[in-house]
Structure formats: C-alpha cells, structure tokens
Amino acid sequence: MSENSPLPMRNAVRSVRDAGRTSVLVIGGGVNGISTFRDLALQGVDVVLVERGDFAGGASSASSHMIHGGVRYLENGEFRLVKESVQERNRLLRLAPHFVKPLETTIPIYSTFSGILSAPLRFLTHRSGKPQERGAALIKIGLTLYDTFSRDGGSVPRHRFLGRKKSLAELPSLDADVKYTATYFDASMHDPERLALDVLLDGLAANDSARALNYVEAVGRTADGVTLRDLETGEEFDVAADVVVNASGPWTDLTNAQLGQGTRFMGGTKGSHIVLDNPELLAATRGREIFFEHSDGRIVLIYPLKDRVLVGTTDIDADPSKPALCTEEEVDYFFDLIHHVFPTIDTDREQIVYRFAGIRPLPRHEDTAPGFVSRDYRVEVDRSQSTPIVSLVGGKWTTFRALGESLSTKVLEILGRGRTASTADRPIGGGRGFPTSDAERRAWIRAHLAGAGDRAEVLLARYGTRAAEVWAHIEQDHDAPLADGALSTRELAWMVEQEHVVHLRDVILRRTSLAFTGHASAQVIDELADALADLLDWDADRRHDEAAQMRQELGDRHGVALAS
Ligand SMILES: Cc1cc2nc3c(=O)[nH]c(=O)nc-3n(C[C@H](O)[C@H](O)[C@H](O)COP(=O)(O)OP(=O)(O)OC[C@H]3O[C@@H](n4cnc5c(N)ncnc54)[C@H](O)[C@@H]3O)c2cc1C
C-alpha cells in the first residue's frame, strides 16, 4: 500500500504510528471496547482503539439481537445483572430508538410445576447438571420479580398470563397442547453492527485525539506499550500507553498471551442462529418473540426480524482459537424446536438464507453447565509491568453502556483523573431526535429527506436521524442504484468516507443487512465490488479477490451457496 493510501483509515493508522504514544490503548472493537472508547473520549482522554477485523465483527455480530433484562438469570440468582440489564434496556429504548425497539415476548408453557424444585438449589449453588424444564409456577414467580425490576415507572407493561383457550386465540399456530402463555416486554436490536458503529462515531466526534483503527492487531508487548500490526500492509509499529485495556471478548486470554501474560479468565460457549425466509412462520409469530425451552431445558427463541425469522440459539463449550460455525446438527435442533412450538408449520433447509455463530465471552466455568454460567462481567487489573493491563471478563450487548462507564472509571482511577461527562442520558448516534410516532416520522421525513421518495424509510431505518447528513451527501452528485435499490453509489461513497469501510465484506455483512436477509447474490457481490473498486482505487486483482473472499466467507461461515 502506498504512502498516500486512498483509504482514510490507512491515513489514520499512519497518524497513530507517527504519534507513537497514547494515554489509553483499547484492544478490541466489539461493542464493549467501543463503549469504553466512547466513554474515555468523552472524558477528554487521549485514546486509541484497535480492532484486528472490522468493528463489531466478533461476538458482537453473533448475538440473538436482544436487549433484554435476562429473565432467566433470576434463576441463577444474578439480581445485580438483571437489575442493571433492565435499566439499560429501558435507557437504550430512549437513547437509541432507531435500533432498539420494544419487543413483545411470549413464553408457551406446557406444565404447571416442573423445574420449581431445582430452582432454589441453583440460587444457592450457581451450578447445575442438566437444566430442567420450567413450569408455569416458576415462570410466574420469575416474571413477577422481573416486573418489579423492569417497569421503568410504569412505562413498561406488566406481564400477562393466559390459559390455553386465550393463548390459542392470540397465537393460533401454537401447539394445541400448550397449557398457558406468559407475555412480557423486552427489546430487540435491529442492526447491532450499525449501533456499535454509532457509538464509535460518537466517541470519535467527542474528542480530536480519539482514534479508532480497524484491521489493526495487537501482537506484542513493549517496555511501555504494545506492538501493533496493520493487517492491510503487514507493517508493525510500537505505541506507548499509560494503560492498556484488553477488551478482546472471547479472545481475552489469547490476547493476554500475545502480550506475554498467562491468564485463564475466559470459558466461552458457542451459540448459533439461522435466519429463515418462511412467511408462514413469520405470520405465526404475530410480530412477537416466542421464547421458550426445548425438551432439554435450554432456552431458545423464534423471532421476527427484517421480514425474516431468526431462530437460535445453542450453548456449547468452545475453543476461541477455532472459527465458530453453525453445524448441521444445530440446524436439525432448530427445526426440531420450531416443530415443538408450531407443529403444523413446515420448515426446510432451502428456507435458510443465512447462518451465523459466535462465542460468548463468558468467564471460565469449570463444573457449571454452559446455560447457567454467569453472564455478569468483571475487570481484572495486572500491574506487574510499567503499563498496567486492564482485562474485561464477560459483558453482554445489553449492558454495554454501563460496562463502558465502569471500565472507563477504573482506567480513570489508574490515570488519577476524574470523570467529567456521563453517557447516562446521552442519545446515541442517529437516535438523537429520532421521530417515534407516525406523525413525527412523516414530519421529520418532510423536513430532512424531501426528494428521497421511497428511500426515505430505508435511510431512516439504516441511519436514524443521521439519514439527514447521508441524504445531503447523496444529493450533491450523480447517484445510481446498487443492489436492486437497497443501496446507491453515493450512499456507498458515504460509507467509505464516514464509516471506515475497508473491505467488501464490511458493506455486505455489517454496514447493511444484505447478507442477513439473504440478498447477497453473486450479482450483488460483483456490483458492489465494482463500485468499491472505483471508490477505493482497487486494481483488477484486488477487486477479484474481494469478491472471491466474500463468496467464500458467505459459503464457509454463513451457509450461503453462490455460483462463482
Ligand atoms: C450466540 C450469542 C448470542 C448472544 N445473544 C445476546 C443477546 O441477545 N443479548 C445480549 O445482550 N448479548 C448477547 N450475546 C452476548 C454479546 O453478543 C457479547 O457478550 C458482546 O457482543 C461482547 O462484546 P465484546 O466487545 O466484549 O466482544 P467482541 O464483540 O467479541 O469484541 C472483541 C473484539 O476483539 C477483537 N480482537 C481480538 N483479539 C485482538 C487483538 N489481538 N488485537 C485487536 N483486536 C482483537 C476481535 O476481533 C473482536 O472484534 C450473545 C452472544 C452470542 C455469541
């Protein structure tokens, strides 16, 4: 790569290399590293974040897309976590309403008392062998407790319990053997990768000395900092830091090993999902998440999202040094559980438009069954060398804001600095001034997206109120549709200039939902590769490699078979 790279990010890499030092270096650009980065940037701290892949491309891209209190963690006695999670859920509904939406959730229940005897044992011991099926009585107790944590001064409705007849009237495709349903509210997250990007962009906007680099890996330790490798050019350079934050999720121990620290903090478990194009199943959910337990006692979900149905998840001990893949056995398991709840609805592999899997960054759990490992997070500080390393252990999507605040507070303590700004009431990215009622929405579109026609809704959904800046950019020059109108040349140029796009896969997998919804056809890949080649000055070989790598990644990691 030339010294005057056309990629803005490469220039940013050069500026970090040339500066050679920062106050805080955050390793890992998943949502938790990004949230910590934003919080530190807001305090005026000189901070650099490095991510070896694309932002939010690790565990943060593999979630069930739920911002939830975690009703079932009550059973593990994790009251602190549940309380913080519901508070953060309610907060994100306000601060990021463009991506976090209320989600009516229904649990179908087949027995009255099952599981209730084993629950107190779990409260006491935090461990379990095989999970037990949870009956109506236990779920009722759990949801009553959840209501007390969850209601946000009454703005979140209480749960409701219905008997068989009323349940089937509301959800007629449910298994007719259902005894009750319990329905409550949580929240869904529509574009996790875009939400993470919004948090990152807010951090960058907050502070000129804050810099974030994707495709840059931390590969070693120096006397006063870390050696970084630019994975685009292969170039290595050292950056000195007062504090290093290791927020590399399931890879935290592996990163510490690269930094010369032997830690055994992590014990991640793999979870997979499939995305189905099945209109009958989509209709059967009636817009709700169906959240239930399979006969093996594991919690699973069937969930409408972007006109598709998301089905997950599994919980299997995993080795983070190997790629996490959704296996054929897991697909059989998912089909089995769909039939358990909706026995008359047909499913087959042809309906799967996308598969994905990731490793949860859970703490090491020895003899606790994967489904019952603590989902709470903690911070470990190593001061054995002149630059302390602060490692994050655990941390869900739901609690990213609170976690970023608490990790940043720990770093400020080490730096001997105070807190000067709070994220508690700060809207996130395109959630700022986001119109929530239909009337507000129409008025906002008239005021900011006049002339955008049918694209107005797409832009508002993709960027929140940032759509106004995107549209102003699109309007400045000739624009042509891409990907059957899902994108356009000027919008792609915006993503390249403003959203840290380095590879074709960043656009197809994370800046848009093209892959998630099954719209990443061979033709779309070629079209976008051509458009990016123009924007990023790729030669014919690079353009060819980008398209080939995209097809391979879709096939190997996401079960999408495309003709080459
Ligand atoms: C199957 C599944 C379902 C889930 N469902 C939910 C849910 O519904 N709701 C919820 O709240 N949570 C959910 N979670 C949990 C949540 O997704 C994760 O806990 C969260 O995203 C973790 O974010 P993170 O930033 O800590 O880690 P990650 O997102 O994994 O980020 C760590 C980053 O560090 C980078 N990295 C690693 N080593 C290096 C290095 N040496 N140099 C530079 N970068 C490096 C990686 O590339 C990675 O991007 C789920 C997780 C999984 C796997």
Side-chain angles (χ1 to χ4, degrees), residues 27-33 50-54 57-60 62-66 68 216-218 247-251 255 258 269 271-273 313 358-361 392 394-398:
I27 303 171
V31 70
N32 288 320
V50 292
E51 162 56 52
R52 68 178 171 188
D54 189 20
S60 298
S63 81
S64 303
H65 295 54
M66 282 166 66
H68 62 146
V216 171
E217 181 172 15
S248 43
W251 300 279
T255 299
Q258 281 178 296
T269 66
S272 297
H273 295 85
T313 176
I359 301 183
R360 300 174 182 85
L392 170 65
K396 295 168 58 60
W397 242 108
T398 304

Side-chain angles (χ1 to χ4, degrees), residues 471-482:
W471 181 242
H473 174 86
I474 291 173
E475 278 197 307
Q476 274 166 23
D477 210 339
H478 172 71
D479 193 31
L482 288 170

Side-chain angles (χ1 to χ4, degrees), residues 401-422:
R401 190 213 61 85
L403 182 154
E405 182 177 83
S406 107
L407 194 44
S408 154
T409 301
K410 174 56 81 188
V411 171
L412 291 169
E413 243 171 67
I414 297 172
L415 294 174
R417 292 176 64 146
R419 177 166 274 288
T420 55
S422 166

Side-chain angles (χ1 to χ4, degrees), residues 192-338:
E193 296 87 351
R194 292 207 63 89
L195 177 54
L197 188 68
D198 262 5
V199 179
L200 183 89
L201 294 175
D202 282 356
L204 287 167
N207 179 339
D208 285 345
S209 63
R211 280 147 305 163
L213 314 175
N214 50 358
Y215 298 101
V216 171
E217 181 172 15
V219 292
R221 183 100 175 244
T222 62
D224 57 358
V226 169
T227 302
L228 301 178
R229 181 182 298 146
D230 177 356
L231 297 178
E232 295 303 293
T233 60
E235 188 186 350
E236 290 190 5
F237 53 95
D238 295 341
V239 172
D242 300 321
V243 182
V244 171
V245 174
N246 177 358
S248 43
W251 300 279
T252 296
D253 288 332
L254 299 180
T255 299
N256 277 337
Q258 281 178 296
L259 301 183
Q261 294 291 124
T263 56
R264 284 166 47 87
F265 299 143
M266 308 305 296
T269 66
K270 182 186 82 161
S272 297
H273 295 85
I274 53 175
V275 182
L276 291 167
D277 181 6
N278 180 332
E280 199 188 352
L281 183 60
L282 183 66
T285 64
R286 300 271 165 112
R288 298 183 191 183
E289 177 185 30
I290 311 298
F291 187 70
F292 63 102
E293 62 181 332
H294 200 31
S295 48
D296 63 3
R298 294 222 171 109
I299 300 287
V300 286
L301 51 93
I302 300 175
Y303 172 175
L305 197 65
K306 296 179 183 293
D307 273 345
R308 301 285 184 251
V309 184
L310 177 62
V311 182
T313 176
T314 42
D315 213 335
I316 304 165
D317 283 324
D319 175 356
S321 64
K322 303 201 172 78
L325 297 174
C326 173
T327 63
E328 294 308 321
E329 287 80 9
E330 288 177 293
V331 172
D332 289 338
Y333 173 81
F334 293 141
F335 283 166
D336 202 34
L337 66 92
I338 295 170

